[in-house]
């Protein structure tokens, strides 16, 4: 996969616009995030290895395509990552799930870890790390550090919005981790928010603040 993939599908772009709108209520925002997560997941999993299985249709036997059964792990970067997780789990219910808790020190903008629980055997799994907002890239890069420390070697990063600064940071820290996003926005503001962006994704999905 390329280091950066922008999912430009009209449905994704339409839903993203609704999510950016400050007047979109919390419940609608959450539902849109769920829907868009599935559309982006479709792109992230495009190259999953396939094999065939012998089945009988009502008419005749055939060797039909199925996923090779490679183990998958989803890692949600708390708390906003959880908004992407549920939709993707609906598509891939057998995936294992991990959580990395990082908050951003509002002064230094550096990530501080408060939780990490990851599935076993990450070295055998494709790991999809999810966080809606790739802003400075500091938390994302730190989360990927933790995932790699558990042995993962095949990792993808799925987000909704990315800032050029975050993409550059991830490319520097983890050039082997492809990023898949719905859009790349202009820049970060002085508080580290993506602009034009959609605000604080966690607050918007959980109705806090
Ligand atoms: N996190 C958010 O939720 N929004 C931003 O714009 C940046 C980081």
């Amino acid at each position: 996969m390329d280091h950066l993939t922008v999912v430009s599908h009209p449905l994704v772009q339409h839903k993203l616009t609704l999510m950016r709108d400050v007047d979109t209520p919390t419940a609608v925002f959450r539902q849109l995030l769920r829907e868009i997560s599935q559309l982006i997941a479709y792109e992230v999993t495009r190259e999953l290895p396939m094999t065939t299985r012998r089945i009988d249709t009502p008419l005749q036997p055939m060797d039909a395509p199925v996923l090779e059964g490679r183990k998958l792990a989803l890692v949600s970067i708390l708390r906003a990552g959880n908004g992407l997780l549920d939709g993707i789990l609906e598509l891939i219910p057998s995936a294992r799930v991990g959580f990395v808790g990082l908050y951003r020190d509002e002064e230094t903008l550096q990530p501080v870890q408060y939780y990490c629980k990851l599935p076993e055997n990450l070295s055998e799994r494709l790991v999809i790390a999810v966080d809606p907002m790739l802003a400075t890239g500091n938390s994302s890069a730190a989360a990927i550090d933790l995932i790699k420390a558990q042995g993962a070697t095949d990792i993808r990063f799925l987000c909704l919005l990315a800032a050029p600064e975050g993409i550059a940071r991830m490319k520097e820290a983890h050039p082997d981790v492809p990023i898949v996003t719905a859009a790349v926005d202009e820049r970060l503001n002085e508080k580290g928010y993506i602009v034009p962006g959609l605000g604080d994704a966690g607050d918007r999905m959980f109705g806090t603040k």
Side-chain angles (χ1 to χ4, degrees), residues 63-110:
D63 293 317
V66 289
L67 292 170
E68 198 184 57
R70 177 124 186 268
K71 297 170 182 168
L72 249 143
L74 305 174
V75 176
S76 167
I77 302 174
L78 299 173
R79 69 180 160 150
N82 282 10
L84 292 167
L85 191 60
D86 292 346
I88 303 175
L89 269 176
E90 261 174 34
L91 286 184
I92 317 170
S94 60
R96 298 296 151 94
V97 181
F99 297 91
V100 173
L102 296 165
Y103 69 85
R104 186 162 63 156
D105 184 304
E106 290 301 335
E107 279 183 9
T108 62
L109 302 185
Q110 292 303 310

Side-chain angles (χ1 to χ4, degrees), residues 150-192:
Q150 291 289 311
T153 54
D154 191 1
I155 308 170
R156 291 165 204 186
F157 186 83
L158 186 160
C159 60
L160 185 60
L161 276 187
E165 295 89 333
I167 295 167
R169 171 85 181 93
M170 281 287 278
K171 189 162 192 176
E172 167 197 277
H174 299 293
D176 55 321
V177 176
I179 298 165
V180 182
T181 184
V184 178
D185 272 10
E186 274 168 45
R187 62 184 169 86
L188 295 179
N189 71 11
E190 62 292 345
K191 290 190 172 156

Side-chain angles (χ1 to χ4, degrees), residues 28-142:
V28 178
F29 185 93
R30 211 165 34 228
Q31 177 59 27
L32 287 164
L33 186 59
R34 187 188 196 87
E35 292 167 5
I36 218 170
S37 71
Q38 298 188 329
L39 296 167
I40 304 175
Y42 179 83
E43 195 60 45
V44 177
T45 52
R46 178 178 287 283
E47 291 162 19
L48 282 184
M50 302 292 293
T51 182
T52 57
R53 186 196 297 157
R54 190 75 172 170
I55 58 163
D56 294 312
T57 78
L59 300 180
Q60 65 175 58
M62 77 174 280
D63 293 317
V66 289
L67 292 170
E68 198 184 57
R70 177 124 186 268
K71 297 170 182 168
L72 249 143
L74 305 174
V75 176
S76 167
I77 302 174
L78 299 173
R79 69 180 160 150
N82 282 10
L84 292 167
L85 191 60
D86 292 346
I88 303 175
L89 269 176
E90 261 174 34
L91 286 184
I92 317 170
S94 60
R96 298 296 151 94
V97 181
F99 297 91
V100 173
L102 296 165
Y103 69 85
R104 186 162 63 156
D105 184 304
E106 290 301 335
E107 279 183 9
T108 62
L109 302 185
Q110 292 303 310
V112 183
Q113 181 192 328
Y114 63 89
Y115 189 73
C116 182
K117 181 87 179 168
L118 296 171
E120 291 183 339
N121 307 330
L122 283 192
S123 58
E124 297 165 19
R125 301 180 190 276
L126 166 65
V127 179
I128 303 175
V130 301
D131 188 351
M133 309 299 271
L134 177 56
T136 61
N138 290 333
S139 321
S140 312

Side-chain angles (χ1 to χ4, degrees), residues 104 133 135 192-194 199-202:
R104 186 162 63 156
M133 309 299 271
Y193 279 86
I194 299 176
D200 186 297

